[in-house]
Each structure stands twice: as structure tokens, then as C-alpha cells.
Amino acid sequence: MRLAGLAAAALAAATSVEVAGQEVAIALAPGEVLIKVDAEGEHLDRPDVMGVAAGVVTTGRTAKEALAANNALANRLLAAVRSNGIQARDVRTSELTVTPQFARDRTTAEDEDAVRRITGYLARNRLELRLRDLGKAPDIVNALFEAGANEVNGPSFSLSDPAPALRAARRAAVAAARAEADTYAEALGMRVSRVLRVSERQSFESENDGTIIVTGSRVQPTVIEPGEVATRVQVWIDYAMVPR
């Protein structure tokens, strides 16, 4: 939190605010002083939704061969997802690509204008999943690898209903702003008389984003700790102060 500015008014003065894209003047009464404060409110919660992306990457001599191998693994991956009770609304294909792989002839490797040769193709299919039962998350992640996933990214954590956390963060931000305004008013021998303007900015942060890395032919139990997620609101409030 910081003091954004003080404006004294011995006579009637005005400050302006923007409403629907237009500047609107707010009059200060005689003897009022304008103080602008910004403050942040935060609310922490245990998340109840986990996001994870699982994909399969395959290669082939031709694009058709690479895609056919990829489709076989992708179908196994999707079957594992469905067998673990993940609903269709929580499964989304986020990437499906087939790209050529190039190599340069050794005799022309230093020639930037040399024509590159296609040596094969790489196919990638990625699913983005939302897991609503975090207790099953380790088993589901392991099932993805057992089904053939060779590219897994995550996890990210969130709230299925962020509204209560947002309301709590707003209350905390307003309380912090008022406490700061009261502190300055008291130091100046004044008191806060009214609110002139309020605006806000929101942010949401997972405290435990990261990457799942699994190596080896046998998948060991995957440890997943959801931690807490932070919902933050920053408010800018203009107050009018008057002498005590």
C-alpha cells in the first residue's frame, strides 16, 4: 500500500472520475481534502480443481505414418481418461500437429541457403484435462503414462467457484484502504468523511504451479500437493477528509 496523493481545498474544489468512458466531476465541499489510496486484499483457499495437459508424440517416415502411430496412442490416452471418470466437458484437445523434420547435407551444412532434406515427420496430440477430485489426481496422472502419454505438463490449481474468494479479497482490500486513509487522516488531525471513487483490478495465482517429470520404464506413484491458491484484488479509493 502507498499514498497516491493529497490535494488540499480551502474553498470548493473538484476531482474527476471516469464513468462509461466520460470524465465526471465530483465536487469537494469547502474544507474537504482529497486523499487517494491504493491497497491490496488477498484471500487464500485450498484449490478443488487441477489442470494438467497430457500428450503423445510420435515419429514416422511419412506424415501418414507419424499420424497413424499418434492416433493409436491418442485413442489409448482418451480411453484411460474416460475410464477414470473424467467428464467430456473437462477434456479438450489443445494441439494436433504433424510437422516435417529436416536435416542438411553434411557437405552444405555451413551454407545457410542449402536446401534442407525432410528426414521424417513428428506428430503431436495434446489433451488438456480438468480434474475435480484431487484425491484421485495421482492415480489419474499415472494412468496417463501407463496409457502411453510421453508428454505431460502441469499441474495448475484453481477454484471451481472463485466468487466467495473474490468477495473476501474485496472486503480485505477495502478494509486495508480505509485503514490507510484513517492513518493519514489521524496524522493530519482530520477524519475521513466520505468515499468519492472506487476502482479495482483482480488477479488469481496458484502457489504450486510446476511440471510433472517422470523417467524410467516404470511409473512410480506421482506426488501431487495442491497447496493454496491466492485470489487478490487491488483497489484505488479516493476519500474526502475534513477537520476533526
Side-chain angles (χ1 to χ4, degrees), residues 7-187:
L11 299 175
T15 183
S16 63
V17 299
E18 187 172 308
V19 178
Q22 297 182 346
E23 289 289 328
V24 178
I26 296 179
L28 289 172
E32 285 188 329
V33 173
L34 171 66
I35 178 172
K36 297 182 177 182
V37 176
D38 72 76
E40 183 179 86
E42 179 183 82
H43 182 76
L44 299 177
D45 265 314
R46 290 282 289 182
D48 57 359
V49 175
M50 185 183 106
V52 64
V56 288
V57 180
T58 55
T59 59
R61 290 173 299 174
T62 65
K64 181 179 179 180
E65 182 179 306
L67 183 59
N70 194 276
N71 287 341
L73 282 178
N75 285 331
R76 286 176 52 189
L77 193 63
L78 189 56
V81 167
R82 290 171 175 166
S83 66
N84 278 276
I86 302 177
Q87 300 179 30
R89 64 177 177 140
D90 293 327
V91 182
R92 182 174 71 91
T93 299
S94 62
E95 182 180 4
L96 176 58
T97 58
V98 180
T99 55
Q101 303 298 292
F102 296 96
R104 285 190 178 132
D105 191 294
R106 290 184 178 180
T107 60
T108 59
E110 297 180 357
D111 184 357
E112 294 184 357
D113 296 325
V115 177
R116 297 186 298 170
R117 295 180 295 105
I118 295 177
T119 58
Y121 290 84
L122 182 145
R124 174 180 280 109
N125 192 323
R126 177 182 291 187
L127 298 177
E128 289 187 359
L129 311 175
R130 283 184 298 183
L131 312 182
R132 299 179 185 273
D133 185 349
L134 299 192
K136 295 181 179 179
D139 292 338
I140 292 175
V141 170
N142 288 347
L144 295 175
F145 282 104
E146 294 289 358
N150 51 21
E151 186 178 65
V152 174
N153 298 102
S156 62
F157 297 100
S158 61
L159 303 171
S160 58
D161 181 10
L166 184 57
R167 287 194 293 269
R170 281 174 173 154
R171 287 192 292 268
V174 170
R178 181 56 188 258
E180 183 176 352
D182 286 339
T183 298
Y184 280 106
E186 181 182 0

